[in-house]
Amino acid sequence: MTTQALLAQLYCTTLALQATVLRSAPVILGINFGQSFASIAVIDKEGHAACIANEDGERQIACAVSYVEDQVYIGNGAKPQLVKNGHNTIMGFRNLLGHTYDEVDHTAILAAPLIAESKIPAYTVDIMVPPPAAPTPVSRSAAPSGYATPIPAEPTAAKKTLTAPEVTTLFLQTLFTSATDFVGTKPTHCVISAPTWFTPAQTQALRDAATAAGINVIQVLDECAAVLVGYRAGMPEERKERGLLGQPEEGTAGEAEARDKKVVVLDMGETSLAVSVISVADGEYTVLNKGRDDKLGGREFDNLLIKHFAKEFTKKTKVALELPCSESASAADKRAEAKLRLAIDHTKRSLSASAGPATCAVESLKDGYDLSTSINRIRFDSLAGTVYRQVDARLREYVEGAGLELAQIDEILLAGSSTLLPGLQQHLSFLVPPTTPITAALDPSEVIAVGCALQALHLANLDSKLKVDDVLALAANPLPTTAAPIGVVIPGATDDLLAAKVIEVGAPLPARRRVSFPVAGGVTALEIWEGKDEIKVEKVEKTESEKAAAAEDEDEYSDDEDEEIRTSVSVKTTRLGAVEVDVAEGKNLVLEIIVQRNGQVSVAAWAEGAEDKVDSFEV
Amino acid sequence: MATVVALPLTIPAAPAGYTKAAASGKPTAPVERQVYPAGPSYISYARRELLQLSFEEDDKATSSARAAAAALKLANAEEVLFPGLGEEQEHKDLLAADPKEWKKQDHYGVLGLGDLRYTATDDHIKVAHRRKVLRHHPDKKVDHDDGFFKCIQKAHETLTHKDRRRQFDSVDWNIADDVPNPKTVAADKYCEVYAPIFAREGRFSNIQPVAQFGDDASSKKEVEGFYDFWYNFDSWRSFEWHDKEANEGADSRDEKRFTEKKNKAERTRLKKEDNTRVRELVDSVLANDPRIKRIKDEEKAARLAKKKGGAAPAAKKLSPAEIKKAAEEKRKAEEEAKKAEAAANTASKADREAAKKAKEAARKNLKKWKKAVATVIAASNYFQADGAAPSPAVIEKQLAELDALVELAEPEDVKTLKEEVEKAGNGEPAKAVIKAKVAALGDKAAGKFTEFA
């Protein structure tokens, strides 16, 4: 081999080495891009996903862009501009992606209105264009006497038209810059969240906008999926290690978690509520039902608070103030609303964080009068009761849509900053059995970003034989999943229930589960049955003493009705077969069930440590 | 591996006389549902689907991949960077060092890099600093004494800042700078003694890598390259370290400026001194380099060998320029040999002496004859057309060529040239005579003449 060839080979090896170094250290970024707020998460040095603050120290970054003369404010700095400069402040642009002007609602009360001329939703804002640079800057001393110092050219007023995708690109760019500043290098792998109800066209529009911002988007992830990944649903060991398990009022779910379970993801953000009923099958997430309410969000709480405070203001100062105001309201009212909206942000946070009364103070709310007041939790919960009940109704509606009852839900995962309200969490806990945890172990306002970052990490560390696009394309269409649970029945049992469920409804196929049982010893038999999830209703008769106590209370609720206890059970329907294994005492029986893509079930059982003596059958 | 989930359900022994019951029906057909492409379990699912692996095959693949990853991790964990670095026990004098006297502190010694000094890499410094800090942090001391810790921090601060490190390296008093007198060094030890000295001096070079001193067998080219490098030595050595601080509490700007000016002057002086030192070192080493003598001897021997028609030295692979040069040298040597032979054959010793005398006489007259020819050329208006003034370039060239001609030709030839030129008279005939002389020179004149070609 000649020296040159050798050198060339060496060079190639170096390049390959560099490439592997690059491959082994991907820089991860997860973006939660909401309608009202966004957040970003990265993988830190220890390998944990963490939500990071932007350069202003904000973890929740408002999706707002404001043009003030020749300045552009993006994020939380843009929100105060609503007060004086509302028509140049753009908000709520995410949901417009992939839509035409005619398809969207275009009533804007405070922020910049959409313009009717263009097909793609667009805004027009007033800006100041800086003057062209002076041709030759003449220093003062050099100017010959007698000449006036040239007047610096004034910036000129102009109009700027921005489409919704352009605003999105601008906004995502700032998020990306914040992450780059935090990490030190440009993130290479990014997953960005999109609402559950985004159409493929909208998803594509979001992807395009992100790509235009220079972000390498490897996946546009459903917000609900991001929540599941963020909480590591279906991965009990990891959840336990990180302290992510929900803490129910009763039962053992706080220590362990079933690998197969049904969960509800309740995502209540600033503007909308999304409910998804998910079957978590050994870490795979199958959608049983999902839905949303785009009118139900943190904004509802805001409106209630504003109304409450406005009333109180009117009562105290005798200045008429009707909030929230309509489109035709006076400018003073609108400005008052904008000011109050900014102020109650803090009030809501205080309500979520501490049990004491939360204050709200606005200087010169209207006609020069200040507002300074407070509200405590009980008062707020009674105000917000209607919203809680609406959430509850939606939750029931979508759970029932999946053919289930709330009693059959094993866990409720919370996401979105509005679910931080303790009143809401408490309200939800009354709906489900006390053994069902309402989980907010990760900060619900950060969980989506964290989930996106984790997902990006998983995809970045993909097997070298696989391509990300191929992996994601597999789930583009619905996949076959189990239609009924499969479980075991102990021969000779008298009831008609499955003694234990091995595979849940909704497990993507092919699926395999291995379970082990302690045995009494000797020849042990197990029957494998298909089952059906049902609700068992038990009426608990009150004891005499309880009745007496209730009568003394003379409370509305404690009438003589017996309490109903609804529990989830699985009734056996079809026998698939049986296995029989001789197990020595002290050993466990291991049972493996595999359901193939076409629904074929193969079962094998053996005694622990004796893998060669297998009893099996196929159906 | 598939996770085995332990279920809290104890199974009793099968009832007596139990027979396995047959299936009572087919399992329900699967239902198609949307699955989120998210989470590690989905990725495992996708891997099985895309690579067409069964559960068993996938188990094997993942367990082997995991084992490989674990082995790699273990291997990485075991590899300790620079074992032992910065972990030695410090001398008690070093531990008692005063952090305020940092200008006199041996920063490498404090970090335990005394052996590496200027060769220490950034990684060495980082690792050594970390290990030192772990041992000498005031929190680990009973009396929270932070004297040595401050020394460590100062050393780290100095050595991690590129400029500060160079300033310190420039004046590092722990590196010996003595040079033995080249005259006293034995020829066979010469390279052994001076190679490390030049390697040491080379640490200040802006151009890296530094030319190697080489060994006794170095070729002419290598040796010349080495001395070329050192005569054009570009050093970053600077003497800011010796700067004197302005007096404590000297608010006066004048005083500060004065100190600054003095420092600058001192730096320049030291720098100049250092440059002189290096040049003198190179001068004296070159003057006494046995290799130069050896190379000269070799060349002489080669010439002699060629003269004697001996076999050419073993063919070396040479560049085209070298081949050309060698061919020219060979030809010259042959010519000289021929001439010498002819002279030896024809002339007796007396003749040769007479000829020698004549030659010497001729040489004395050379200048005269040349001047005469030049006068003729000038009188012929440098062979330009009538009325046209000769350009200075042409004049210079013609005179230069005349010099060359006189040099190349034998003194007798020059004499005849002068006589013939004077006889031919001014103008073209004179030029024709000069041209004829040039042509008579033959190969020797090839390419050297344009005006008289």
Side-chain angles (χ1 to χ4, degrees):
Chain A
M1 192 185 284
T2 64
T3 328
Q4 273 186 342
L6 197 74
L7 276 176
Q9 201 195 17
L10 260 174
Y11 183 64
C12 290
T13 328
T14 331
L15 279 186
L17 269 174
Q18 279 172 349
T20 42
V21 168
L22 284 179
R23 267 184 65 89
S24 65
V27 185
I28 303 296
L29 172 64
I31 300 180
N32 165 28
F33 180 39
Q35 165 80 343
S36 309
F37 285 95
S39 47
I40 45 180
V42 297
I43 304 291
D44 61 18
K45 276 179 197 158
E46 283 80 34
H48 302 326
C51 186
I52 58 168
N54 70 355
E55 49 273 28
D56 300 332
E58 295 281 353
R59 284 202 170 78
Q60 298 300 311
I61 303 152
C63 296
V65 176
S66 184
Y67 285 83
V68 185
E69 300 191 338
D70 53 348
Q71 306 250 27
V72 191
Y73 294 91
I74 299 170
N76 298 46
K79 270 189 123 181
Q81 298 298 331
L82 272 180
V83 178
K84 276 188 168 176
N85 194 21
H87 61 284
N88 285 330
T89 304
I90 304 171
M91 290 176 82
F93 45 86
R94 185 201 64 179
N95 288 358
L96 308 180
L97 283 172
H99 279 306
T100 58
Y101 177 77
D102 300 326
E103 287 169 346
V104 297
D105 166 37
H106 25 77
T107 49
I109 295 173
L110 292 173
L114 287 171
I115 52 168
E117 289 91 66
S118 91
K119 201 173 161 236
I120 303 169
Y123 306 90
T124 298
V125 288
D126 298 325
I127 55 163
M128 298 295 263
V129 181
T136 43
V138 183
S139 68
R140 194 173 281 238
S141 59
S145 57
Y147 282 83
T149 320
I151 302 161
E154 292 282 331
T156 46
K159 294 238 176 242
K160 186 181 172 83
T161 303
L162 288 138
T163 61
E166 279 168 6
V167 180
T168 308
T169 302
L170 183 68
F171 182 72
L172 290 178
Q173 228 159 17
T174 58
L175 293 185
F176 191 66
T177 315
S178 299
T180 309
D181 290 348
F182 184 87
V183 182
T185 48
K186 276 194 175 180
T188 54
H189 294 68
C190 178
V191 167
I192 187 164
S193 73
T196 302
W197 45 269
F198 252 30
T199 60
Q202 284 178 294
T203 309
Q204 190 55 43
L206 174 57
R207 190 182 270 268
D208 291 345
T211 311
I215 304 174
N216 174 29
V217 180
I218 51 173
Q219 187 183 9
V220 176
L221 184 64
D222 197 306
E223 276 172 0
C224 167
V227 174
L228 291 161
V229 176
Y231 281 117
R232 283 92 161 170
M235 283 169 272
E237 293 86 5
E238 205 178 337
R239 290 191 79 175
K240 192 168 182 189
E241 192 190 325
R242 298 195 186 283
L244 294 179
L245 287 166
Q247 300 297 329
E249 286 160 32
E250 286 174 23
T252 55
E255 278 91 56
E257 183 198 30
R259 304 186 86 84
D260 287 56
K261 62 199 286 192
K262 297 193 193 76
V263 304
V264 167
V265 175
L266 189 88
D267 178 0
M268 190 173 183
E270 191 64 13
T271 34
S272 67
L273 168 80
V275 178
S276 310
V277 186
I278 306 291
S279 165
V280 176
D282 203 6
E284 288 179 70
Y285 312 124
T286 308
V287 183
L288 299 177
N289 192 27
K290 62 183 184 184
R292 68 151 173 158
D293 188 332
D294 56 0
K295 296 283 180 290
L296 205 55
R299 193 148 296 238
E300 289 303 305
F301 297 122
D302 288 5
N303 290 343
L304 289 168
L305 274 174
I306 284 172
K307 205 170 166 184
H308 170 78
F309 286 139
K311 257 187 203 163
E312 214 168 285
F313 180 72
T314 312
K315 211 194 275 173
K316 274 185 187 165
T317 62
K318 309 283 181 285
V319 174
L321 180 61
E322 188 91 22
L323 293 181
C325 52
S326 63
E327 215 168 339
S328 58
S330 71
D333 279 9
K334 280 187 181 175
R335 196 174 311 141
E337 183 180 340
K339 276 187 175 180
L340 198 48
R341 270 193 197 283
L342 290 174
I344 56 162
D345 207 35
H346 178 255
T347 313
K348 271 206 301 183
R349 274 168 213 236
S350 316
L351 278 172
S352 307
S354 69
T359 56
C360 176
V362 183
E363 246 178 64
S364 179
L365 182 62
K366 196 185 173 187
D367 296 352
Y369 289 102
D370 297 351
L371 169 77
S372 177
T373 179
S374 68
I375 186 168
N376 64 15
R377 247 184 210 182
I378 298 166
R379 188 69 203 268
F380 176 76
D381 285 342
S382 71
L383 276 180
T386 47
V387 183
Y388 293 165
R389 279 191 287 281
Q390 276 174 303
V391 174
D392 154 13
R394 288 291 177 187
L395 179 63
R396 277 175 203 280
E397 180 189 337
Y398 295 121
V399 171
E400 274 159 23
L404 297 169
E405 277 196 31
L406 275 174
Q408 288 171 310
I409 299 299
D410 297 307
E411 187 173 9
I412 296 181
L413 299 174
L414 297 181
S417 45
S418 297
T419 58
L420 279 166
L421 286 170
L424 179 61
Q425 290 185 12
Q426 202 178 20
H427 187 85
L428 289 173
S429 70
F430 292 145
L431 300 175
V432 291
T435 48
T436 305
I438 314 279
T439 308
L442 270 170
D443 188 333
S445 54
E446 295 172 2
V447 65
I448 298 177
V450 168
C452 285
L454 284 173
Q455 173 71 359
L457 182 67
H458 295 321
L459 289 177
N461 294 336
L462 209 57
D463 195 321
S464 55
K465 282 176 264 179
L466 301 176
K467 281 190 198 138
V468 173
D469 291 342
D470 294 345
V471 168
L472 300 182
L474 269 187
N477 296 315
L479 297 174
T481 57
T482 49
I486 296 172
V488 294
V489 169
I490 298 166
T494 47
D495 57 359
D496 58 348
L497 301 178
L498 295 180
K501 273 198 281 190
V502 179
I503 297 186
E504 263 284 7
V505 180
L509 300 179
R512 172 181 66 172
R513 298 289 182 277
R514 262 185 203 170
V515 289
S516 69
F517 303 95
V519 290
V523 177
T524 312
L526 271 181
E527 286 181 4
I528 314 300
W529 284 72
E530 206 175 70
K532 198 175 152 212
D533 289 330
E534 279 182 0
I535 290 284
K536 187 172 79 178
V537 182
E538 276 176 305
K539 294 216 168 169
V540 182
E541 291 216 4
K542 286 193 175 168
T543 54
E544 284 303 316
S545 61
E546 273 178 344
K547 275 186 182 172
E552 266 175 37
D553 280 353
E554 289 186 13
D555 197 327
E556 282 277 323
Y557 298 105
S558 60
D559 51 2
D560 281 352
E561 249 178 54
D562 289 332
E563 205 184 337
E564 268 187 0
I565 295 184
R566 305 172 77 85
T567 45
S568 168
V569 292
S570 300
V571 180
K572 59 183 186 184
T573 50
T574 317
R575 182 166 57 220
L576 302 175
V579 286
E580 202 172 20
V581 187
D582 190 359
V583 189
E585 209 179 327
K587 293 276 180 190
N588 283 351
L589 173 79
V590 181
L591 178 74
E592 183 188 73
I593 302 183
I594 296 177
V595 185
Q596 295 299 345
R597 188 173 262 279
N598 55 9
Q600 192 189 34
V601 180
S602 44
V603 179
W606 60 86
E608 201 179 22
E611 278 82 0
D612 47 337
K613 287 182 195 159
V614 176
D615 186 24
S616 63
F617 69 87
E618 280 188 12
V619 192
Chain B
M1 273 309 285
T3 325
V4 180
V5 181
L7 291 183
L9 173 73
T10 311
I11 303 168
Y18 173 78
T19 48
K20 280 200 260 179
S24 65
K26 282 265 157 204
T28 325
V31 181
E32 294 210 327
R33 290 190 178 98
Q34 187 199 346
V35 174
Y36 282 131
S41 303
Y42 171 77
I43 290 172
S44 311
Y45 165 81
R47 184 181 60 230
R48 289 194 302 267
E49 289 295 298
L50 291 172
L51 302 179
Q52 301 280 323
L53 298 173
S54 70
F55 281 110
E56 294 291 324
E57 288 162 348
D58 189 54
D59 281 350
K60 263 185 212 162
T62 43
S63 63
S64 63
R66 241 177 242 175
L72 192 72
K73 204 175 165 189
L74 201 69
N76 285 344
E78 273 174 4
E79 190 187 329
V80 177
L81 213 54
F82 314 127
L85 185 78
E87 280 171 348
E88 80 293 328
Q89 191 55 52
E90 293 82 4
H91 192 267
K92 64 180 192 317
D93 293 349
L94 192 61
L95 288 174
D98 183 0
K100 281 181 193 147
E101 296 284 307
W102 59 270
K103 278 229 168 177
K104 291 176 189 160
Q105 176 181 318
D106 172 13
H107 294 304
Y108 288 112
V110 165
L111 291 186
L113 297 166
D115 299 336
L116 294 165
R117 307 213 77 88
Y118 62 90
T119 58
T121 61
D122 289 350
D123 283 340
H124 281 127
I125 294 167
K126 194 171 152 190
V127 168
H129 171 247
R130 199 170 287 164
R131 289 186 190 151
K132 287 283 175 190
V133 163
L134 276 179
R135 277 178 40 222
H136 295 286
H137 197 277
D139 287 356
K140 294 210 171 165
K141 308 269 165 166
V142 186
D143 52 355
H144 294 285
D145 172 32
D146 63 350
F148 190 61
F149 180 71
K150 277 183 179 162
C151 292
I152 294 171
Q153 295 302 70
K154 189 72 200 177
H156 181 249
E157 186 192 314
T158 306
L159 297 185
T160 46
H161 190 291
K162 195 187 161 201
D163 292 346
R164 307 270 301 138
R165 188 177 174 191
R166 281 193 162 182
Q167 286 173 14
F168 178 68
D169 281 343
S170 294
V171 299
D172 193 345
W173 53 91
N174 288 287
I175 295 176
D177 55 354
D178 52 318
V179 179
N181 188 352
K183 283 176 189 160
T184 59
V185 175
D188 57 334
K189 297 269 184 201
Y190 208 80
C191 297
E192 217 172 283
V193 170
Y194 286 102
I197 287 172
F198 278 96
R200 190 182 73 197
E201 291 294 331
R203 71 185 192 271
F204 300 121
S205 175
N206 272 324
I207 304 159
Q208 296 285 356
V210 175
Q212 294 294 310
F213 191 84
D215 49 26
D216 291 331
S218 293
S219 70
K220 186 183 175 189
K221 201 181 157 198
E222 281 165 351
V223 174
E224 276 174 356
F226 172 79
Y227 285 109
D228 273 354
F229 177 88
W230 279 97
Y231 276 118
N232 298 312
F233 188 56
D234 179 12
S235 156
W236 51 255
R237 194 172 190 182
S238 65
F239 295 90
E240 281 93 344
W241 199 263
H242 294 320
D243 279 2
K244 288 203 172 56
E245 298 288 322
N247 274 344
E248 195 70 28
D251 290 335
S252 156
R253 211 183 287 169
D254 288 340
E255 201 170 320
K256 274 184 190 162
R257 278 196 194 139
F258 176 67
T259 319
E260 222 165 78
K261 207 171 149 191
K262 254 172 76 178
N263 280 337
K264 205 178 164 193
E266 180 66 7
R267 285 203 296 261
T268 325
R269 188 185 66 78
L270 286 169
K271 176 82 183 166
K272 212 168 160 187
E273 225 169 55
D274 186 54
N275 285 345
T276 320
R277 183 187 63 86
V278 172
R279 207 182 48 249
E280 280 171 356
L281 166 69
V282 180
D283 277 341
S284 61
V285 171
L286 171 66
N288 294 286
D289 196 338
R291 295 177 302 177
I292 302 284
K293 200 166 168 273
R294 189 206 73 211
I295 288 162
K296 275 186 182 159
D297 288 348
E298 272 172 10
E299 278 173 357
K300 204 172 170 188
R303 272 202 304 276
L304 276 175
K306 268 167 215 159
K307 212 186 273 178
K308 284 176 185 158
K316 264 196 282 174
K317 205 177 176 188
L318 297 164
S319 69
E322 279 172 324
I323 292 170
K324 209 171 154 189
K325 204 174 158 192
E328 220 170 77
E329 275 170 8
K330 200 177 163 188
R331 209 189 51 235
K332 269 185 192 164
E334 274 169 6
E335 267 172 17
E336 272 168 8
K338 253 183 212 166
K339 261 183 212 162
E341 222 174 272
N345 286 345
T346 49
S348 67
K349 202 179 169 187
D351 284 345
R352 262 184 280 164
E353 265 177 11
K356 208 175 170 185
K357 270 181 188 168
K359 247 185 194 173
E360 259 165 26
R363 203 166 284 139
K364 276 179 194 161
N365 289 322
L366 266 181
K367 255 189 185 169
K368 230 191 263 172
W369 298 331
K370 194 169 91 184
K371 205 174 175 188
V373 178
T375 325
V376 172
I377 293 174
S380 314
N381 197 21
Y382 296 94
F383 313 122
Q384 299 296 311
D386 284 341
S391 72
V394 169
I395 298 172
E396 201 172 302
K397 204 155 190 200
Q398 289 188 355
L399 292 181
E401 286 185 8
L402 180 63
D403 285 347
L405 174 61
V406 170
E407 206 159 292
L408 288 170
E410 295 296 321
E412 288 92 292
D413 289 344
V414 179
K415 195 181 174 187
T416 50
L417 171 71
K418 176 226 165 198
E419 283 159 2
E420 278 172 32
V421 165
E422 279 175 344
K423 214 161 89 191
N426 296 353
E428 279 307 309
K431 193 177 185 182
V433 170
I434 298 171
K435 276 185 178 176
K437 273 283 171 226
V438 169
L441 284 174
D443 281 352
K444 271 197 270 182
K448 284 180 183 159
F449 296 90
T450 48
E451 288 288 321
F452 300 127

